Amino acid sequence: MVNLCDFEQEPMINYPTFWDFKVILEREVRAGELFESILKQREFKYKASNLSKNGKYQSYLLSVYVDSKEDRLSIFAKLKEKSKFVL
């Protein structure tokens, strides 16, 4: 049986670490240029994953070196501003 109290607690993440984001962009957006403009000199890598059924959207797996929870959430917010969807 699952203890539901465990779901209410924040997971323990040991920083610094690489964090994976799933980023969905319109297909014509140049992902590498977008990620470089957001992440500047930060260490990251990305790869294309799925293309939407109608070909309008492309998803990417973006792995970024983050120093802290605040750093991770800041990157998430910046990605969210420039993309269709971020997980």
Side-chain angles (χ1 to χ4, degrees), residues 10-50:
E10 209 168 294
M12 292 194 55
I13 302 169
N14 295 319
Y15 295 99
T17 190
F18 275 94
W19 190 262
D20 292 334
F21 297 93
K22 184 77 155 190
V23 183
I24 300 171
L25 303 171
E26 291 183 357
R27 187 153 185 225
E28 62 272 359
V29 173
R30 294 176 185 235
E33 291 176 12
L34 176 67
F35 297 149
E36 284 181 18
S37 72
I38 292 171
L39 301 169
K40 311 288 185 215
Q41 299 298 317
R42 184 182 296 271
E43 188 177 353
F44 73 93
K45 57 187 173 184
Y46 72 97
K47 67 177 181 177
S49 53
N50 297 325

Side-chain angles (χ1 to χ4, degrees), residues 21 38 70-83 86:
F21 297 93
I38 292 171
E70 294 77 20
D71 189 29
R72 175 176 55 87
L73 294 177
S74 172
I75 293 168
F76 178 86
K78 290 174 186 174
L79 289 168
K80 191 174 174 184
E81 287 176 10
K82 303 285 185 176
S83 64
V86 181

